[in-house]
Amino acid sequence: MSLDVSISRRGFLKGGAMLGAGLVLAFHLPATLKRLQAAQAADAPAKEYPPDAFIRIAPDGTTTILCNKAEMGQGVYTSLPMLICEELEADWSQVRVEPAPAAIVYAHPVFGIQMTGGSTSVASSWEQMRRIGAVARTMLVETAAARWNVPAVDCRAENGFVLHGDRKLAFGELAEEAGRRTPPASVTLKNPKDFKLIGKATPRLEGPDKVSGKGQFGIDVRVPGMLFAVLARPPVFGGKPKQWDSAAAQAVPGVLAVKAVAGGVAVYASNTWAALKGREALKVQWDDGPNAGFSTAEQRAGFQKLAREPGTVAVAQGDAPGALKTAAKTLDAEYEVPYLAHACMEPLNCTVRVDADAVEIWAGTQFQTVDQGNAAKIAGVKPEQVTIHTTLLGGGFGRRANPASDWSNEAVEVAKAMPGKPVMTVWSREDDTRGGWYRPHWVSRLRAGLGADGLPVAWLHTIVGQSILAGTPFEAFMVRGGIDATSVEGASDLPYAVANLQVDLHSPKSPVPVQWWRSVGHSHTGFVVESFVDECAHAAGIDPLEYRRRLLAKHQDPRFLKCLNLAAAKAGWSRPPEKGSGRGIAIHESFESVVCEIAEVTQKDGRVQVTRVVAAVDCGTAVNPDMVRAQIESGIVYGLSAALYGQITLKDGRVEQGNFDDYPAVRLSESPQIEVHIVPSEAPPTGVGEPGTPPIAAAVGNALFALTGERHRRLPLMPVAKS
């Protein structure tokens, strides 16, 4: 397969200037990821998004890959180097990985900014990274062939060497000279049958550093002369400080200063503990502003009312209202899911130094370009004068990809008040939980009309919840005709054969700041749709697995039935569950991947225990099967935490949860036995980081219904009592 490679000279020079001597390659290619291309306006002009990935080969043969994606546990520091090195033919034992600096040459090939999210890292880099490796290999081979005065076609690269008969030259011996060659206009990528790395379970490159403690997360950053700061923030969204008394705070040993900054009152100290104790001693009178009376209960009532009114139509296929009237049987149900915090294990933090003509940032961020631009505005410098050092992330789930750059902007403001001093702004767990930017609160009303065969002839779904794109740069191409595409994804594109389908949307405003959360809109539609399908199956008196098979029979994408049947076979669906146990099934497509999950549950004294989850996933080529399984397992446990416990509620404008005692995560002792089975595929890779989350709540809820006969339509299943 011959592929053209378009190389940006400007990007090459910018990359080379940053990385110094050796073999440095920068690439420019058009967008390729189908899902994100489709999200752009149909009439938008064709665009090219220039991500540049780099290879650096040292004289000793060490091959360093600069990764343009953030590593937050999903394994890109291994998977992306695997793509490059598959084609490069580097010696994997000599491969190292480093975070790429913040520069437009590292932009996402579809979004055009440097960022990590949307389960797109491997999918969007599939050809890009392999091309990089292939071009580098070609240049190395050509260099060796020229030295030997033989045709390049008679040479080959293997395990860090270029070979010709009995002769061989190490990559390290060739790199500097190869870097001066003109890159080839086209390269040939490997046939998948020849893959040596791709498709093989490969240990993480960054794993040993994480285990030893050598790996640097944002919270680990230490810069000479740095200060530590915490911010006293308004307890109500939209509030502000009226006045404060800092005398007691400044008397705390280690506290160095107290200053008003945008967003609240900052306490600066020589260590985090002193800053936190100083904040405790700080006396602030707050102006709660117009949102002091906001409550979840009132919002719920408003959302429920809207759910019974027509919204803006997202999709209308056939005549769903008319078909509903003539159906043999009708169903009507209301579902609700709450605000959810991201609850990253590493609370938010960001270290910043602001000088007169430069800003330096150390942070675990998913949004380098956006954070860089926003920091520049605050500091009054150009974006290229803002340097970002991307550290490892102790969890992201979207929180560290904030379009408003709320947490990094705050840190820049805090550091700006102490010019020339590096300052780490730290969030406590309570700050993090109460700081907003949640997964939205959603209410859905569903109505279905069943035909004589029990299958739906009409399906109507009204969705109520905040838009996460309103007011962001993504609004221009992902909100059309009043429809936020992320609000209805997973509901407006059902895989099931329903002749008459209507989905409409209400996007009310709220003072509570919201953004994407792991699996975005699929986090609520996966639960709602698959739970209601289960309701239809039971109303029709048809086994839930067989019901889905019938609904999928006419679907042109065979992946759904493959996943459904694989999960059912591995879970032993044909056998009844053990006594006292219930079994439920759910299947959902998100980020171009299909995941089916079957959950087994028990219940005693109102306590739900999920004992086993069997998952089948079709994600195209599994570049690193270990990473695929780990991410599906992670998505299941993360979604299970939300399904069982997760909720953010507000009363009198204040968030009622604060720490893991009232916003719990599933502990090891509660975690089910999880089996992940990967459907073999040679298709290009699709998303993996998020698709494991959407089906789990429905699978558990459906299992509970099978066990108890009680249908759970509001999450969480086991809300924590508020003290």
Side-chain angles (χ1 to χ4, degrees), residues 426-464:
V426 182
W427 294 49
S428 69
R429 176 60 57 190
E430 287 76 10
D431 294 337
D432 210 336
T433 303
R434 296 172 180 151
W437 303 99
Y438 306 123
R439 194 284 302 274
H441 172 202
W442 297 98
V443 169
S444 281
R445 183 190 178 198
L446 294 100
R447 289 171 290 164
L450 307 185
D453 60 358
L455 300 183
V457 295
W459 181 285
L460 295 92
H461 187 173
T462 299
I463 299 172
V464 184

Side-chain angles (χ1 to χ4, degrees), residues 7 48 77 93 112 114 129 153 184 223 305 333 361 371 409 445 453 459 485 487 500 619 621:
I7 300 174
E48 288 190 343
Y77 273 17
S93 69
Q114 189 175 351
M129 296 296 176
V153 71
V223 181
K305 182 179 179 181
I361 298 174
D371 295 344
N409 280 359
R445 183 190 178 198
D453 60 358
W459 181 285
S487 296
N500 302 286
C619 57
T621 297

Side-chain angles (χ1 to χ4, degrees), residues 219 228-231 233 272 348-350 424-428 431:
I219 204 76
F228 298 83
V230 296
L231 200 65
R233 301 175 183 82
T272 305
L348 292 171
N349 62 86
C350 185
M424 176 186 282
T425 300
V426 182
W427 294 49
S428 69
D431 294 337

Side-chain angles (χ1 to χ4, degrees), residues 101-464:
I104 199 60
V105 294
Y106 295 105
H108 191 288
V110 174
F111 284 125
I113 59 174
Q114 189 175 351
M115 55 83 70
T116 306
S119 293
T120 62
S121 292
V122 172
S124 66
S125 304
W126 170 240
E127 288 192 358
Q128 173 195 11
M129 296 296 176
R130 291 165 61 212
R131 290 183 189 187
I132 290 166
V135 169
R137 181 194 70 237
T138 301
M139 295 167 71
L140 289 162
V141 167
E142 288 176 347
T143 301
R147 286 194 187 180
W148 292 325
N149 195 28
V150 299
V153 71
D154 293 339
C155 304
R156 73 181 193 279
E158 185 177 311
N159 202 36
F161 291 90
V162 178
L163 308 173
H164 179 264
D166 294 333
R167 293 183 289 186
K168 67 178 182 179
L169 285 169
F171 283 2
E173 300 176 71
L174 300 167
E176 186 173 354
E177 184 180 347
R180 295 194 292 268
R181 299 185 71 86
T182 300
S186 64
V187 291
T188 300
L189 300 185
K190 283 185 179 180
N191 188 306
K193 68 181 179 60
D194 297 323
F195 286 161
K196 299 175 182 176
L197 273 174
I198 293 174
K200 305 297 190 296
T202 305
R204 291 174 179 266
L205 288 178
E206 88 287 359
D209 284 351
K210 287 179 175 177
V211 173
S212 68
K214 182 180 177 182
Q216 188 181 66
F217 293 82
I219 204 76
D220 299 322
V221 168
R222 294 295 181 269
V223 181
M226 72 185 290
L227 307 179
F228 298 83
V230 296
L231 200 65
R233 301 175 183 82
V236 175
F237 296 119
K240 59 185 179 181
K242 287 195 294 188
Q243 59 183 19
W244 63 91
D245 182 349
S246 63
Q250 291 180 315
V252 173
V255 171
L256 304 173
V258 178
K259 296 190 176 188
V261 298
V265 182
V267 178
Y268 302 80
S270 57
N271 58 76
T272 305
W273 181 251
L276 289 167
K277 298 303 288 184
R279 184 175 66 174
E280 285 180 18
L282 186 65
K283 298 175 182 176
V284 184
Q285 291 185 21
W286 299 100
D287 176 358
D288 288 341
N291 303 315
F294 182 87
S295 74
T296 297
E298 185 176 346
Q299 184 180 69
R300 174 182 296 118
F303 280 14
Q304 290 172 334
K305 182 179 179 181
L306 280 175
R308 296 195 167 270
E309 300 173 1
T312 302
V313 175
V315 60
Q317 175 182 303
D319 179 10
L324 185 69
K325 294 177 182 177
T326 60
K329 181 181 291 188
T330 61
L331 289 81
D332 191 328
E334 181 180 281
Y335 284 81
E336 180 185 0
V337 296
Y339 286 117
L340 291 175
H342 297 77
C344 303
M345 197 54 61
E346 177 194 14
L348 292 171
N349 62 86
C350 185
T351 301
V352 183
R353 179 172 57 219
V354 178
D355 295 311
D357 58 355
V359 176
E360 195 163 8
I361 298 174
W362 295 261
T365 176
Q366 298 176 243
F367 245 23
Q368 288 88 345
T369 301
V370 175
D371 295 344
Q372 188 179 44
N374 285 326
K377 290 178 184 177
I378 294 169
V381 299
K382 297 177 181 178
E384 55 265 32
Q385 293 174 289
V386 177
T387 300
I388 295 182
H389 306 280
T390 303
T391 65
L392 295 170
L393 286 65
F397 315 121
R399 182 62 181 95
R400 287 177 159 93
N402 185 287
S405 299
D406 72 296
W407 57 279
S408 59
N409 280 359
E410 178 184 275
V412 175
E413 294 279 7
V414 169
K416 184 180 177 183
M418 287 284 192
K421 290 278 189 181
V423 183
M424 176 186 282
T425 300
V426 182
W427 294 49
S428 69
R429 176 60 57 190
E430 287 76 10
D431 294 337
D432 210 336
T433 303
R434 296 172 180 151
W437 303 99
Y438 306 123
R439 194 284 302 274
H441 172 202
W442 297 98
V443 169
S444 281
R445 183 190 178 198
L446 294 100
R447 289 171 290 164
L450 307 185
D453 60 358
L455 300 183
V457 295
W459 181 285
L460 295 92
H461 187 173
T462 299
I463 299 172
V464 184

